[in-house]
Amino acid sequence: MVRFMLKAKSYFQNFLKKFKASLLTPTLDQKIRYFNIFKTLAASLLAIVITCFILIFASKSPLAAIRALIISPFKSRFWVGEILRAFVPLVFTGVAASVMIKCGQFNMIGEGSFYIGGFIGAIVAIYLPIKGFGGVLIACLAAVAVSLIFGLVPALLKAKLNVNEFVVSLMLNFIMLWLGMYFLQTFFRDEASGDIATKIIPDENRFHTLLSGTYLSTGLIVAVVIAVLAGVFLYKNKSGFIIRTTGENPAYAKYAGLGVTSAVILSQLLGAAISGFGGAVEVLGGIEGRFNWKALPGFGFDGFIVAILAGNNPFLVPIAALFLAYLRTGAVLMSLETDIASEFIQIIQALIIIIVAGQAFLRKLKNRILFKSEIQSEEVKA
Amino acid sequence: MKIIDLLFSEEFFFTSIQLTVPILFASLAALISNKAGIVNINIEGSMSVSALIGALVSFYTKSFVLGILAGIMAGIIMGIILAFCVHKLKTDSVLTGVALNIFASGFVVFLLYAILGTKGDTTAAPSTVIPYLKIKFLMDIPFFGVLFEQNLLFYLAILSVFLLSFLINKTKLGLRIKAVGYNGDAAKSVGISVAKTQFIALIIAGVFSGLGGVFLSMSYLSTFNSGMVAGRGFIGLAAEAMGAGNPFLTLLFSFLFGTVSAFAISAQISSSIPYELLNTLPYLMTILALVFYSLRKTKVRERSRVKEEMK
């Protein structure tokens, strides 16, 4: 234990030293990385400013709306808990999307596997005789397993037959939704609920409340752990390296004899599994205590936004997810306090993606950075 | 036996045609964008926005013509936004498409709530429905007469197939669009403006998506609801891929997808298959079709390679 702590300490000191050096005399790579972080921040800020402008025209009480959106989420312990609760599913689908985009795969299965993962997780947690930690674990594993089975479809079709994974995964989402609805309606519906919903999940098979006075569950910890694990996998592991190389330059990866096919399959399967896991965590830590989704929950697409914001880096996903969760909670408050529907948030999200993804945004600044370091390296050579 | 009877009934043919129209419009939009070298996945969102705008305008003006025009305008604006992002902001077209789809799904609910105060649908404000055009004598032909008692937009859709084919193959603009899509740099070197051509192509695509959306909320149903496009924009993309850039083949595959969707709906009444499972059919069919398409493509490629080796 002591040795481990010492090791961690030296690792941390090393990291600090490197970080300091990169701030004082950054290499070109680091400069571009800092530029990208700055650009994302600037883009997010710009999107919020544009949003405020839209609100001035869209709302009868724009000041109240802007206040509700920006400040209200911090008004009480409960609402901070709500931010963190919205944060959990975004981390899962954000990590899932990152792993897939890093490999160059535009796979939207996050949407459907989140749904099916939630459904399977609930069913197993309800009917499994094992209770407690084991029960939750098995429920989550079952959710992951079923998501993997569905995930195989776009992954294998892309890798073996070069079928576009984007369209296939979108179609598959609807198939998963209707299959889930079928099983829910026909076999698992609890008539007493007065709704299309399963029975109540027993208390022992749910995630506990993490913060008293809020609905936040211990699923939060699981989410952060998953993000870190995915980051370690992508950046410190051979398969992760192959996935990244395949995404950056598939022709090179193929030429270098890296297993491109298996990387394509692996990244898509991981994506499906992680968002399926997220679905189970969401339902087992949810307020309703049962599964009652009658439409795709939309987290898959949100995960895509989180991934773009985080630059497809799982380590940064929690930060991006927190930002989005904050905006989202603000939007809910805005719809409660003023005349703006909470779906307004999707307009902001679209703005953010477009500005972050826009190569033209802040290009002059980027060119100046590149130009300067070019001159510097010339001077060093001379 | 019942299902066979169903498949050859006039009602079923009628429903198939009805469900073909939105998919056909979507696939035509995909076709013209693809010709210009842009992967346009924004069609789904454009259709949704157009459907809402068309429904609302037709309700308030009591004129279906204005409704259709407003829907088309909405589609065009969505197309222009995509073109603007791709050319001025230099975003990736797929990423922008995803963003605009997210925008659309939020925008329709936002607008619905701001105007009608509800979030789900426009039942409170039913659209002025687009009329049916029944052609005398022709509609009395057994079975195929169904083709001549359709909604106005059906004829427009068929006409669009011919117009689009003409545009692509016989006009200067079509040639330019193809040149830009085939090789942007080469097109630029002979003085064709890539940005301008793609702008025009995306505006045309916007018109088609607008018509597809308007059909859903002003003819197929007389109200809008936020989930009503239900992946038809994406099914249109698949139909276009199968049609391999040929408007008439695209029509054929759109009809195929329309028929499967019609079966999913009709069989709910006349068979005991649960409706949830029937609802998966159009999507399942799309995936299968894409697989067959890809298999065929690899086969053709292999055959041509073998031929060349023989030489």
Side-chain angles (χ1 to χ4, degrees):
Chain A
M1 193 64 199
V2 175
R3 193 185 290 166
F4 175 76
M5 276 175 68
L6 279 176
K7 205 175 167 191
K9 198 182 163 195
S10 75
Y11 186 82
F12 185 68
Q13 277 171 343
N14 218 350
F15 174 79
L16 264 186
K17 213 185 274 173
K18 264 191 207 163
F19 185 69
K20 250 185 201 164
S22 75
L23 274 183
L24 292 174
T25 51
T27 61
L28 186 58
D29 253 17
Q30 284 160 341
K31 270 185 188 168
I32 289 176
R33 202 177 302 153
Y34 287 134
F35 167 77
N36 282 337
I37 292 174
F38 172 71
K39 184 181 154 185
T40 309
L41 289 178
S44 311
L45 205 65
L46 183 63
I48 291 182
V49 170
I50 296 176
T51 308
C52 292
F53 260 107
I54 300 174
L55 279 177
I56 290 174
F57 295 105
S59 172
K60 285 183 195 106
S61 47
L63 278 179
I66 293 169
R67 222 189 56 143
L69 179 70
I70 310 279
I71 301 168
S72 292
F74 299 115
K75 71 179 179 185
S76 71
R77 184 192 176 91
F78 174 79
W79 285 104
V80 173
E82 287 297 285
I83 297 181
L84 291 174
R85 205 164 65 82
F87 163 83
V88 175
L90 292 176
V91 172
F92 278 104
T93 49
V95 169
S98 300
V99 174
M100 296 192 282
I101 302 176
K102 259 284 183 277
C103 192
Q105 307 302 310
F106 275 91
N107 186 328
M108 291 293 169
I109 200 172
E111 192 72 33
S113 51
F114 195 88
Y115 176 89
I116 214 79
F119 175 63
I120 299 291
I123 295 301
V124 174
I126 292 169
Y127 294 96
L128 195 73
I130 305 167
K131 299 278 181 263
F133 179 75
V136 174
L137 188 71
I138 293 174
C140 288
L141 285 178
V144 168
V146 174
S147 306
L148 277 176
I149 294 171
F150 281 104
L152 275 173
V153 177
L156 287 181
L157 287 180
K158 173 68 185 276
K160 302 286 177 198
L161 295 173
N162 201 23
V163 181
N164 183 328
E165 77 282 5
F166 183 77
V167 179
V168 170
S169 60
L170 283 168
M171 296 294 116
L172 199 63
N173 285 342
F174 287 107
I175 295 176
M176 285 152 113
L177 169 68
W178 286 112
L179 280 181
M181 286 292 279
Y182 169 66
F183 282 104
L184 177 59
Q185 285 261 34
T186 327
F187 302 110
F188 299 109
R189 184 171 173 185
D190 177 23
E191 298 288 343
S193 72
D195 184 14
I196 303 173
T198 62
K199 282 190 205 161
I200 296 274
I201 304 166
D203 267 340
E204 311 87 62
N205 275 359
R206 284 198 231 165
F207 284 95
H208 298 293
T209 311
L210 189 65
L211 267 180
S212 59
T214 68
Y215 289 124
L216 182 66
S217 78
T218 40
L220 177 83
I221 300 165
V222 184
V224 175
V225 169
I226 287 288
V228 172
L229 286 180
V232 169
F233 169 77
L234 268 186
Y235 289 99
K236 305 279 175 211
N237 179 291
K238 196 178 143 203
S239 310
F241 171 75
I242 298 176
I243 284 179
R244 282 186 296 133
T245 317
T246 307
E248 273 160 29
N249 194 340
Y252 167 76
K254 210 172 221 173
Y255 185 73
L258 303 172
V260 174
T261 312
S262 56
V264 167
I265 296 177
L266 181 64
S267 73
Q268 296 192 33
L269 285 184
L270 269 177
I274 294 171
S275 45
F277 190 15
V281 171
E282 180 72 3
V283 171
L284 298 184
I287 307 174
E288 292 91 356
R290 54 171 94 206
F291 180 88
N292 62 355
W293 300 345
K294 287 172 276 296
L296 293 171
F299 288 119
F301 284 105
D302 296 338
F304 211 80
I305 304 168
V306 172
I308 302 278
L309 270 178
N312 305 323
N313 181 342
F315 289 125
L316 296 180
V317 160
I319 300 172
L322 197 60
F323 173 63
L324 222 56
Y326 153 69
L327 279 184
R328 200 151 253 227
T329 314
V332 171
L333 277 159
M334 188 167 69
S335 72
L336 288 178
E337 293 175 6
T338 68
D339 54 346
I340 301 288
S342 62
E343 279 77 4
F344 188 73
I345 185 71
Q346 285 170 315
I347 300 176
I348 312 178
Q349 290 177 345
L351 272 173
I352 295 177
I353 302 188
I354 288 172
I355 305 174
V356 171
Q359 298 286 327
F361 181 61
L362 293 181
R363 193 202 275 156
K364 271 188 188 153
L365 181 66
K366 188 177 184 180
N367 285 347
R368 203 184 302 155
I369 293 172
L370 291 175
F371 184 67
K372 259 190 188 166
S373 49
E374 192 94 320
I375 291 176
Q376 271 172 5
S377 61
E378 298 268 302
E379 278 171 356
V380 169
K381 270 181 203 163
Chain B
M1 268 336 271
K2 249 185 170 175
I3 286 183
I4 302 252
D5 286 342
L6 169 78
L7 286 180
F8 289 100
S9 67
E10 278 193 14
E11 288 80 22
F12 181 69
F13 190 40
F14 188 85
T15 320
S16 307
I17 292 172
Q18 285 256 304
L19 287 165
T20 301
V21 175
I23 296 175
L24 177 59
F25 276 127
S27 62
L28 293 180
L31 197 152
I32 187 81
S33 320
N34 252 7
K35 285 277 179 205
I38 287 191
V39 185
N40 187 353
I41 59 168
N42 175 29
I43 296 164
E44 176 91 3
S46 300
M47 282 172 81
S48 184
V49 173
S50 308
L52 174 64
I53 302 281
L56 285 178
V57 169
S58 77
F59 169 73
Y60 283 111
T61 62
K62 299 280 170 253
S63 152
F64 74 89
V65 178
L66 288 179
I68 295 177
L69 288 179
I72 291 178
M73 265 326 281
I76 290 178
I77 291 173
M78 291 294 278
I80 290 179
I81 295 177
L82 177 62
F84 176 80
C85 290
V86 169
H87 281 290
K88 296 290 172 202
L89 295 174
K90 307 279 176 207
T91 53
D92 179 65
S93 66
V94 176
L95 219 53
T96 319
V98 173
L100 286 179
N101 283 335
I102 292 171
F103 166 79
S105 62
F107 180 71
V108 290
V109 180
F110 165 71
L111 200 64
L112 209 54
Y113 189 71
I115 293 179
L116 294 177
T118 59
K119 279 191 176 181
D121 52 41
T122 61
T123 328
S127 327
T128 308
V129 184
I130 302 167
Y132 281 73
L133 190 66
K134 294 187 178 173
I135 302 171
K136 274 183 187 165
F137 305 118
L138 284 175
M139 62 177 274
D140 296 330
I141 303 171
F143 197 70
F144 288 104
V146 173
L147 282 171
F148 301 100
E149 44 178 346
Q150 287 292 334
N151 191 272
L152 210 54
L153 284 187
F154 165 73
Y155 304 107
L156 195 59
I158 300 296
L159 189 67
S160 302
V161 174
F162 286 92
L163 282 179
L164 194 61
S165 169
F166 179 77
L167 173 81
I168 291 169
N169 297 320
K170 300 280 186 233
T171 64
K172 211 170 165 184
L173 177 66
L175 195 66
R176 282 188 176 168
I177 289 177
K178 278 192 289 188
V180 166
Y182 194 69
N183 188 337
D185 292 330
K188 216 186 239 168
S189 71
V190 292
I192 300 173
S193 162
V194 176
K196 200 175 131 194
T197 315
Q198 289 188 335
F199 250 96
I200 295 172
L202 283 177
I203 286 174
I204 299 173
V207 173
F208 288 135
S209 340
L211 285 169
V214 162
F215 177 84
L216 285 174
S217 68
M218 291 173 60
S219 167
Y220 181 63
L221 295 178
S222 62
T223 55
F224 168 85
N225 69 64
S226 51
M228 89 182 316
V229 184
R232 288 193 176 90
F234 298 123
I235 295 181
L237 281 183
E240 192 273 338
M242 318 271 302
N246 179 328
F248 296 102
L249 275 180
T250 304
L251 166 66
L252 199 70
F253 282 106
S254 301
F255 181 67
L256 181 71
F257 287 129
T259 310
V260 175
S261 309
F263 178 75
I265 290 176
S266 307
Q268 288 175 15
I269 305 160
S270 54
S271 77
S272 57
I273 310 169
Y275 80 95
E276 296 98 337
L277 296 184
L278 286 168
N279 272 344
T280 63
L281 277 180
Y283 309 112
L284 207 60
M285 177 70 196
T286 310
I287 295 182
L288 284 179
L290 283 173
V291 171
F292 278 118
Y293 171 70
S294 152
L295 281 176
R296 203 193 64 195
K297 216 165 67 176
T298 43
K299 217 179 230 173
V300 169
R301 209 179 293 146
E302 260 169 33
R303 210 177 285 158
S304 66
R305 209 182 59 207
V306 170
K307 257 186 196 167
E308 265 177 24
E309 276 169 11
M310 299 268 273
K311 277 176 193 168

